[in-house]
Amino acid sequence: MIEISDELKRRLKNADKILFFTGAGVSAESGIPTFRGKDGLWKKFSPEELASYDAFVKNPDLVWEWYQFRRETIRKAEPNDAHKAIAEFEKIYPDVTVVTQNIDNLHRRAGSSNILELHGNIEKNYCVNCGKRFDYVEFENTNETPKCDACGGNIRPDVVWFGEALPQDIFKRAEQKAMASEVCFVVGTSAIVYPAAIIPYKAKEYGAYVVEVNIQYTDFTPDADESFFGKAGEILPELLNLAKEFHR
Ligand code: OAD
């Protein structure tokens, strides 16, 4: 059982606007490897070596195959108790937003309805040449980079790679939601990849009470108002129960 401060009780009671800022750790208990955890390597490559436009230009098939591998893992995965608890916060609070760095659709599958995906979505693809959009289902069994049927260009996943800009409209909305939030939960992220990692700092700057949930101390911990160290799939359901108990 977690112990929460009087201030968090007060916030859970009075808040209307809740923000979740999530990273790979929220999906870890669904069997999806985190980026910087010990399972993060694929065929000896780190995500930093694969998740960039340069890597794709140099070896598109290798990068495509990595994404196919990740799609398979993600498709077999199920939302865990953390995703489900986060979705259930919508039953208690009128304004709940999930700002996620994850590309795995698990928040959506768990039932969250207001999701801002800062780093794109692995189910979507587009042609690097003409921009035509494609869905994953069209390439179910392709380990080689598919070619665009309109122009012959290489098709890439619609995710944000290192060195690329975040989708500006989504990032702006995430910043606005962060600034308006009253309680911000930072769940399962190392919070070191910018600009995404600005979000919890923005929330704090504008008055939110910021609560971290992680299995370990992170770069964000010193700035969190309160931290819970443990698995998201265990702590989030407890926080949900406390929210149910205290919300007015
Ligand atoms: P990381 O792999 O950097 O961090 C995962 C975090 O989750 C770590 O702080 C772990 O301690 C924590 N964690 C692991 N298992 C957990 C569990 N069961 N419960 C709670 N916490 C747990 O992943 P992100 O922070 O998401 O970007 O990485 C941020 C971005 O860097 C990703 O979106 C991706 C990556 O490179 C791009 O691809 C652009």
Side-chain angles (χ1 to χ4, degrees):
M1 276 287 280
I2 56 170
E3 292 274 330
I4 67 170
S5 68
D6 288 343
E7 180 60 17
L8 181 53
K9 281 179 198 164
R10 201 176 66 77
R11 297 280 183 143
L12 289 176
K13 177 171 178 232
N14 296 320
D16 288 325
K17 300 187 183 97
I18 307 282
L19 188 87
F20 289 92
F21 177 64
T22 68
V26 80
S27 296
E29 289 157 74
S30 295
I32 300 173
T34 60
F35 292 92
R36 292 169 185 81
K38 57 178 166 27
D39 303 328
L41 293 185
W42 174 77
K43 291 192 174 178
K44 298 198 189 121
F45 296 103
S46 69
E48 281 84 356
E49 291 172 282
L50 296 164
S52 75
Y53 189 68
D54 282 353
F56 186 66
V57 169
K58 216 160 84 195
N59 197 341
D61 287 349
L62 180 76
V63 174
W64 181 263
E65 194 190 338
W66 181 52
Y67 277 94
Q68 286 295 70
F69 167 77
R70 292 176 66 198
R71 285 184 184 104
E72 289 313 314
T73 311
I74 285 166
R75 282 190 130 199
K76 284 185 208 135
E78 293 295 332
N80 65 49
D81 288 346
H83 300 108
K84 290 177 196 164
I86 290 171
E88 259 204 65
F89 268 79
E90 287 182 23
K91 293 188 185 148
I92 309 173
Y93 297 95
D95 187 341
V96 179
T97 305
V98 179
V99 175
T100 189
Q101 299 161 90
N102 299 344
I103 58 175
D104 61 24
N105 280 302
L106 290 180
H107 284 301
R108 188 167 294 113
R109 286 171 56 197
S112 284
S113 43
N114 302 314
I115 305 164
L116 296 172
E117 292 171 319
L118 295 182
H119 289 164
N121 189 304
I122 199 165
E123 297 283 346
K124 297 177 184 159
N125 306 276
Y126 66 92
C127 169
V128 293
N129 199 31
C130 72
K132 183 173 174 184
R133 308 194 65 83
F134 299 86
D135 287 336
Y136 163 57
V137 281
E138 298 176 52
F139 313 118
E140 218 152 316
N141 300 310
T142 337
N143 261 340
E144 280 164 28
T145 320
K147 302 282 179 202
C148 175
D149 59 5
C151 75
N154 280 331
I155 291 170
R156 61 166 281 181
D158 187 5
V159 298
V160 175
W161 281 333
F162 288 105
E164 292 184 326
L166 269 53
Q168 281 312 294
D169 51 331
I170 294 175
F171 187 61
K172 244 195 176 72
R173 271 156 60 204
E175 272 192 316
Q176 282 160 356
K177 283 292 184 182
M179 291 189 285
S181 68
E182 292 155 289
V183 181
C184 169
F185 294 99
V186 182
V187 187
T189 176
S190 54
I192 56 169
V193 175
Y194 283 85
I198 286 171
I199 295 299
Y201 292 100
K202 273 274 171 206
K204 183 162 173 151
E205 187 188 338
Y206 282 78
Y209 192 74
V210 185
V211 178
E212 182 182 48
V213 178
N214 202 296
I215 49 169
Q216 62 191 14
Y217 191 95
T218 70
D219 278 16
F220 186 72
T221 308
D223 291 291
D225 291 306
E226 201 154 334
S227 290
F228 297 101
F229 295 108
K231 290 183 175 176
E234 291 169 8
I235 295 189
L236 263 303
E238 287 197 47
L239 287 169
L240 174 71
N241 284 337
L242 291 163
K244 281 180 185 161
E245 183 182 335
F246 291 114
H247 188 55
R248 64 188 189 285

